[in-house]
């Protein structure tokens, strides 16, 4: 097996592990932020999640780009960056789902939700074909409405696309990131920042507008 095949397998394994590990963390993450910022509306909390997500992946990209100057370190550092990016993106997407009142307990539904956010328009087109209908705001349908047979078909199509797209972008599926130290750090940080912005934009399209208030708040006010 080639180094590229090894890298693809590791990216796939990293995604699957993150989809399992980050689900309970996403719920705790949103609960923690609500305790720290009790006055935040759902929209304000999402903006906070956006900032934390971008800061984390930008810092990771800068460190990976800087490490790319080390002879022979290109693939390992790029792979580590891809893993951090994947874990952060899964946590971000599942945290958004929690804010929107969605709890994708099934692994395959969770996977499709994350892949759709990360792959954007290409994923939406694949979903249109798999499900046989079009429309905005796929997140809620992925979590609760689309038949499992269609979920599984879409995941089989989108899984390899994710590995190729982000493996290549992160430098894992190319031989190295051997560029001058300062430039490497700038490219790594800047690249991850761009990817993060695209992910945030895609998430807005997939999830739609957040609720205007937290579930239960209106009932609590009416009782008081």
């Amino acid at each position: 097996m080639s180094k590229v095949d090894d890298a693809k397998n590791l990216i796939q394994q990293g995604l699957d592990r993150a989809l399992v590990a980050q689900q309970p963390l996403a719920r705790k993450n949103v609960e923690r932020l609500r305790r720290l910022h009790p006055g935040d509306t759902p929209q304000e909390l999402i903006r906070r999640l956006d900032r934390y997500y971008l800061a984390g992946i930008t810092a990771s990209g800068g460190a990976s780009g800087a490490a790319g100057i080390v002879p022979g370190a290109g693939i390992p550092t790029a792979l580590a960056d891809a893993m951090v990016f994947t874990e952060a993106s899964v946590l971000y997407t599942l945290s958004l789902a929690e804010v929107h009142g969605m709890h994708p307990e099934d692994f395959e539904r969770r996977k499709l939700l994350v892949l759709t956010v990360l792959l954007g328009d290409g994923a939406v087109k694949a979903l249109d074909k798999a499900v046989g209908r079009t429309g905005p705001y796929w997140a809620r349908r992925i979590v609760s409405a689309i038949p499992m047979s269609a979920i599984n078909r879409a995941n089989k199509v989108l899984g390899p696309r994710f590995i190729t797209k982000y493996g290549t972008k992160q430098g894992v599926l190319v031989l190295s990131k051997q560029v001058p130290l300062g430039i490497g750090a700038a490219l790594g940080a800047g690249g991850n920042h761009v990817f993060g912005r695209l992910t945030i934009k895609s998430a807005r399209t997939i999830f739609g507008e957040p609720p205007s208030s937290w579930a239960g708040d209106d009932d609590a006010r009416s009782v008081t």
Side-chain angles (χ1 to χ4, degrees), residues 13-143:
Q13 292 167 15
L15 173 63
D16 289 349
R17 282 196 301 270
L19 287 167
V20 173
Q22 303 290 14
Q23 173 67 3
L25 294 180
R27 188 167 298 175
K28 292 177 181 178
N29 186 38
V30 172
E31 291 173 351
R32 179 182 63 83
L33 288 174
R34 288 192 65 187
R35 287 195 302 271
L36 290 173
H37 310 282
D40 275 7
T41 65
Q43 180 63 61
E44 288 168 338
L45 195 81
I46 285 174
R47 291 197 193 101
R48 202 177 294 279
L49 289 170
D50 293 347
R51 292 196 298 271
Y52 293 158
Y53 171 60
L54 281 177
I57 61 174
T58 301
S60 167
S64 174
I69 191 64
V70 180
I75 292 177
T77 53
L79 181 58
D81 183 29
M83 294 298 190
V84 171
F85 179 88
T86 299
E87 290 183 2
S89 298
V90 171
L91 179 62
Y92 171 71
T93 302
L94 296 180
S95 295
L96 289 181
E98 292 293 326
V99 174
H100 280 262
M102 303 176 200
H103 313 293
E105 300 296 343
D106 182 87
F107 175 85
E108 294 297 331
R109 291 187 184 277
R110 200 154 63 233
K111 184 174 184 176
L112 183 56
L113 179 63
V114 170
L115 290 175
T116 302
V117 168
L118 287 174
L119 293 173
D121 291 342
V124 169
K125 291 176 183 177
L127 276 175
D128 290 341
K129 291 181 180 179
V131 180
R133 58 179 175 172
T134 61
Y137 314 141
W138 277 100
R140 195 165 295 279
R141 279 186 281 168
I142 289 171
V143 171

Side-chain angles (χ1 to χ4, degrees), residues 172-186:
V172 180
L173 304 184
V174 295
L175 291 178
S176 67
K177 293 171 72 174
Q178 306 301 332
V179 291
L181 182 61
I183 297 175

Side-chain angles (χ1 to χ4, degrees), residues 198-214:
L198 291 174
T199 300
I200 290 170
K201 181 179 179 181
S202 176
R204 295 287 188 274
T205 302
I206 301 302
F207 280 98
E209 290 296 319
S212 58
S213 61
W214 297 103

